[in-house]
Amino acid sequence: MPERKRVAVLADSDTRWKWGALTARRLVPDHQLTGFLLRGRATPTARQLGEVGVRADRLSEVTCAEFLAEIERERYDVVVLALVGGAVQAVLHGARALWPAPARRPVLVTGYVGVVYEKLADGLLLRHGADLVLANSRHDAQRFRAVYEGVGADAAAVTETALPFLGGAPYEPVGSRAHTVVFAVQPSVPDSRADRAYLLERAAGHARRHPDREVLIKLRSKPGEHTTHLEEQPYQRLAEKVPGGLPPNCRLVYGNMGEVLDGTDLLVTVSSTAALESLHRSIPTAILTDLGIREALGNHHFLGSGCLASWDQLDSGLLPTGDPIWLAAQGVLPAPGPDRGTDGAAANRPTGHLTDGATGHLTDGAAGRATDGAAGADAYAVARAKVAGLLAATRLPSPAPYYTRTTAPGYLPGILARHHLAPDGTPLPGAARPAAGESRLRRRLRGHLREAARGAYRHGVQRVAPVIRRLGEL
């Protein structure tokens, strides 16, 4: 029996942990997974990890310097960096400092968790230097290569794949009516209180106009929790101020998005990656235009998709369907399935796992659904072959990021310093705290202090900052 490959995933939020762990499963199907959560403002809670539902053989919270010490000490075959660009760059420079010459080192993989609609050049150049930079579609792969080639950097690492969590049963409607409408909200899009309140009130209004429909407001996190993006105006608090309250057929829900989609007839969002999951399953999907089609909202990414619509149009019965050419370019071709329109199919469809705060892990069957190939094809075959080739090599060259002290002397040192690394990528004194010799009581006390500080920060973001901002507008 060949020895199982050892894979480490370093993530800085719940969604990136999901992406990283499922990507590892695609790249190295038979592996031993060790998970690491990068300590920071978006470190997920146990409830958030339970909702994501992807388990690791071991999971711990670390700093960048501690993670570098781990991969130097332990021999991992593959390292998946599911992080924001600056953190990826820090780890790449840290790895370069660990292995300054060709050596036996882990294969370094990174990419994006969803739709890439802002900071394209900045984010990509911060990821340059990894052995594989995964692109979620042909469209993204072309854009990524163009950025790297435009600065004269090697673009060979760019590898076309697909979102690893595309999957699930294809949609089977009953007649021409939508029975369950899901509004997938986002932590920071839109960002203003007025715009978020408007969208929530329109969702509630849709429920009032269609009492035969159930309208679910699919939330990303609870107040006090953080995800990839800061959420200053949680929908839970806005819902408390909806005039007349939410109607009986409109409610707030949590849950794994894949399972929520099992019972969805219409997915509505501004620009959430959930739209791609929905379109993959041929569920009618609406990208809202109520607040305009703007880069700041991210809905410009869906130009040509056939899904742009307003709440007025949805109120009138519109059920948008994706354009096949656009779907193919985005790597979101619908999964093959039986003939559409079989009467009674929806009655036998799973209702989805919706919780009002209950914790719990995704079942193995549900986790498996999240890794099915896009449109029945193996979108990860090329990436898997690249990883296998790198693993077979006796030695790998030292990581060579585009940003160096020569190409970005006024930018790179600040990025590294935020992660307690020196300009040459080595940890600053005291950055990597040795666990040996520290008592259990001291570790526990340090953990409680860290959680208290994190809670104070989140309270400041969601409670204090909005008040100060409103006072400044007086």
Side-chain angles (χ1 to χ4, degrees), residues 317-337:
L318 178 66
L319 297 175
T321 56
D323 177 80
I325 296 175
W326 188 90
L327 292 174
Q330 298 296 327
V332 199
L333 282 173

Side-chain angles (χ1 to χ4, degrees), residues 115 117-118 186 188-192 195-196 199 269-272 287-302:
V115 175
Y117 66 84
E118 63 179 352
Q186 296 161 262
S188 60
V189 176
D191 59 357
S192 80
D195 286 346
R196 294 170 77 81
L199 293 179
T269 187
V270 176
S271 60
S272 170
I287 303 299
L288 291 173
T289 62
D290 291 57
L291 303 175
I293 300 172
R294 298 182 282 146
E295 284 79 358
L297 297 176
N299 53 0
H300 71 292
H301 178 85
F302 293 87

